[in-house]
């Protein structure tokens, strides 16, 4: 829920309380998805008004958890505990409220939207009352004497009566929070919720066109009898590319080539793809938007808005269409835009994960020949293809070896969801770790992988070193996963278990 929606509901709930409809106000407050500490406090006050002390306690707990310095929330929860006869918890909350006052005589919450002043002498008064209920008469008298130092003229009579009652060992009355006094949202923010018409509406004074009711803004048109059927297209529209469309629903992008739009925006569609995605221009930015989120718009037709029925803002947006892998945003060029290129399914790239002395991934076209595949892998490793041998599993033998005589169709048939794993061997590679010399590393920092060949781990994890890629990168195994990682993120562990 946005801040504006929260502010609007908060204001509606406070208005209901002022009208005496506390039940409706509570319903509105409870519908707010992420209430702040002030709204939680208001909810607790309404529960107290309904004498539902259990729910009031939970609401004040929520308010304090969101703002641990809100003294009035501790004071209200202390009163709630007192009414539930949980005097020890009540005394603890009153002490927290007094601590939050920080030696001040009072706190005026008017600036925060609450028409209430929390007096230190009243907090000490209720603290003494909780101690009286627990039989701690001497401590109660000490707190009431202390309250005299924080008293104001209006509160003097209250403290004196409480002192007299303690001398006679009589219980006195609790200072309660006034009913229907709630935190209100900032008035300046509430005022901004209302839409303002800064330009006003124009009025037709004289026109050569009979029954002219147009009151908008448009370029001057020639007033001739045998003029064109439609007004002249403005130069600014002729300069814009694509067809104008209005956005019907809010669209939140999920990839970098998609464009965020909200209802009411006007975008210009450059091209519509077969997958129901459209390449559009909005505010000089280009991106992809679902075409079923748009509606064609005739900017020059001034009667369209009057005749067309507006859509309900509560209507759910249509289902997001599936993206084809080859659909791209139209890029800007010198003489215009290149068309949207849709890659056919059989030409879609396949990700090949290669296990070498380290693990890496390359992208090739499914069905590629052996020589094309080796060319891509050798280029990635900067190693001659004549020194490399491919295998379909981790053990190189005659059955698993892939060479120029291998039927590549059987190799590519093993691909699943556009991915396949192969093993690459180089007999001249001297950087791999020899069997029997297993080395353990400990992670000094957490590392999140940014590509398929990387290995993710958390600080303190133990990693088995498999090979040294170069001076800066290592390959290892952790939690059953294999990949490469920065050497500076780990340290070697000696055989006795200590970090070297």
């Amino acid at each position: 829920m946005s801040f504006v929606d929260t502010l609007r509901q908060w204001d509606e709930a406070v208005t209901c309380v002022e009208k005496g409809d506390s039940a409706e106000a509570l319903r509105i407050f409870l519908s707010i998805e992420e209430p702040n500490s002030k709204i939680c406090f208001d909810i607790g006050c309404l529960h107290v008004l309904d004498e539902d002390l259990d729910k009031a306690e939970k609401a004040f707990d929520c308010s304090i958890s969101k703002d641990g310095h809100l003294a009035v929330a501790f004071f209200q929860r202390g009163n709630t505990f007192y009414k539930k006869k949980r005097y020890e918890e009540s005394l603890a909350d009153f002490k927290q409220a007094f601590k939050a006052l920080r030696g001040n005589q009072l706190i005026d919450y008017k600036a925060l939207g609450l028409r209430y002043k929390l007096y230190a002498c009243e907090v000490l008064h209720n603290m003494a009352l909780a101690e009286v209920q627990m039989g701690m008469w001497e401590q109660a008298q000490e707190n009431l004497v202390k309250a005299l130092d924080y008293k104001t003229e209006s509160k003097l009579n209250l403290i004196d009566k409480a002192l007299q009652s303690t001398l006679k060992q009589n219980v006195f009355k609790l200072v309660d929070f006034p009913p229907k006094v709630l935190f209100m949202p900032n008035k300046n923010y509430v005022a901004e919720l209302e839409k303002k018409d800064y330009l006003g509406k124009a009025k037709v004074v004289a026109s050569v066109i009979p029954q002219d009711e147009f009151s908008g803004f448009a370029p001057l048109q020639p007033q001739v009898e045998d003029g064109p059927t439609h007004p002249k297209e403005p130069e600014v529209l002729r300069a814009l590319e694509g067809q104008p469309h209005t956005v019907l629903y809010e669209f939140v992008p999920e990839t970098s080539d998609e464009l965020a739009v909200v209802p009411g925006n006007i975008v210009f569609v450059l091209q519509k793809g077969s997958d129901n995605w459209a390449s559009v221009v909005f505010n000089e930015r280009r991106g992809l938007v679902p075409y079923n989120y748009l509606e064609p718009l005739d900017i020059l037709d001034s009667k369209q808005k009057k005749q067309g029925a507006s859509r309900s803002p509560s209507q759910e947006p249509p289902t997001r269409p599936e993206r084809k892998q080859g659909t791209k945003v139209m890029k800007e060029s010198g003489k215009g835009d290149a068309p949207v290129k849709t890659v056919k399914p059989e030409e879609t790239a396949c990700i090949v994960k290669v296990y070498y002395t380290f693990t890496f991934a390359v992208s090739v076209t499914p069905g590629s020949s052996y020589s094309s595949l080796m060319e891509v892998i050798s280029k990635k490793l900067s190693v001659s293809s004549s020194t490399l041998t491919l295998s379909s599993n981790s053990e190189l033998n005659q059955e698993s070896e892939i060479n120029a005589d291998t039927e590549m169709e059987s190799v590519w048939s093993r691909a699943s969801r556009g991915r396949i794993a192969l093993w690459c061997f180089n007999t001249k590679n001297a950087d791999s770790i020899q069997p029997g010399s297993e080395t353990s590393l400990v992670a000094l920092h957490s590392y999140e992988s940014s590509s398929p060949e990387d290995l993710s781990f958390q600080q303190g994890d133990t990693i088995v070193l498999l090979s040294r890629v170069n001076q800066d990168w290592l390959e290892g195994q952790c939690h059953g996963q294999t990949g490469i990682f920065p050497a500076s993120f780990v340290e070697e562990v000696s055989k006795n278990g200590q970090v070297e």
Side-chain angles (χ1 to χ4, degrees), residues 131-359:
E131 291 169 338
V132 165
Q133 294 288 4
M134 297 167 63
M136 303 164 59
W137 293 96
E138 292 183 2
Q139 292 90 330
Q141 290 179 9
E142 291 176 2
N143 281 324
L144 289 173
V145 171
K146 187 177 180 180
L148 292 173
D149 297 333
Y150 291 92
K151 71 181 185 305
T152 60
E153 292 184 2
S154 60
K155 305 297 179 181
L156 179 61
N157 191 32
L158 174 71
I159 304 301
D160 287 342
K161 286 183 178 180
L163 270 173
Q164 292 175 7
S165 298
T166 54
L167 293 174
K168 298 177 183 180
Q169 292 195 349
N170 292 332
V171 178
F172 44 93
K173 189 177 180 182
L174 178 76
V175 175
D176 209 350
F177 191 84
K180 297 184 179 181
V181 175
L182 306 176
F183 276 105
M184 295 184 291
N186 188 295
K187 293 186 293 185
N188 295 328
Y189 290 161
V190 174
E192 292 297 327
L193 295 176
E194 300 296 331
K195 294 184 178 180
K196 297 180 180 179
D197 185 4
Y198 294 98
L199 296 177
K201 294 184 179 180
K203 182 180 179 181
V204 177
V205 178
S207 175
V208 297
I209 302 175
Q211 298 180 349
D212 188 3
E213 296 179 355
F214 180 75
S215 59
F217 297 90
L220 292 175
Q221 305 296 332
Q223 304 291 339
V224 295
E225 294 182 0
D226 297 330
T229 306
H230 296 285
K232 180 182 178 182
E233 182 181 13
E235 296 293 333
V236 65
L237 294 183
R238 287 210 300 267
L240 294 174
E241 301 174 79
Q243 296 298 321
H245 286 64
T246 183
V247 179
L248 301 178
Y249 311 98
E250 181 180 6
F251 174 66
V252 180
E254 296 182 0
T255 60
S256 59
D257 56 352
E258 295 173 3
L259 193 63
V261 290
V262 296
N265 289 157
I266 295 178
V267 300
F268 289 84
V269 176
L270 301 177
Q271 185 164 346
K272 176 187 174 184
S274 60
D275 56 357
N276 207 26
W277 285 81
S279 178
V280 304
V281 177
F282 176 63
N283 283 348
E284 300 183 359
R285 295 178 58 197
R286 295 171 182 247
L288 295 174
V289 174
Y291 190 76
N292 53 353
Y293 280 52
L294 310 176
E295 183 179 57
L297 174 67
D298 186 358
I299 299 181
L300 299 178
D301 188 1
S302 61
K303 296 182 179 180
Q304 181 176 356
K305 290 185 178 180
K306 294 183 180 179
Q307 296 174 355
S310 60
R311 292 178 178 263
S312 171
S314 62
Q315 184 175 354
E316 292 295 330
T319 305
R320 172 191 173 96
E322 294 186 3
R323 286 276 304 277
K324 289 185 178 179
Q325 295 187 15
T327 303
K328 297 183 179 179
V329 184
M330 294 181 64
K331 300 298 182 181
E332 191 170 4
S333 60
K335 297 182 179 180
D337 296 318
V340 175
K341 179 182 179 181
T342 303
V343 180
K344 297 181 180 179
E346 60 269 17
E347 297 178 355
T348 303
C350 178
I351 303 298
V352 181
K353 190 172 185 179
V354 183
Y355 294 96
Y356 187 56
T357 56
F358 59 94
T359 307

Side-chain angles (χ1 to χ4, degrees), residues 36-56:
N36 56 31
S37 60
K38 298 177 184 178
I39 294 176
C40 291
F41 178 87
D42 290 349
I43 293 173
C45 290
L46 291 178
H47 283 312
V48 170
L49 192 62
D50 292 341
E51 298 183 356
D52 192 342
L53 299 181
D54 291 335
K55 291 184 179 179

Side-chain angles (χ1 to χ4, degrees), residues 440-444 460 490-500:
S440 296
L441 308 173
V442 62
L444 301 177
V490 298
E491 277 191 2
E492 186 172 345
V493 180
S494 62
K495 295 183 179 180
N496 58 8
Q498 296 181 350
V499 178
E500 294 184 353

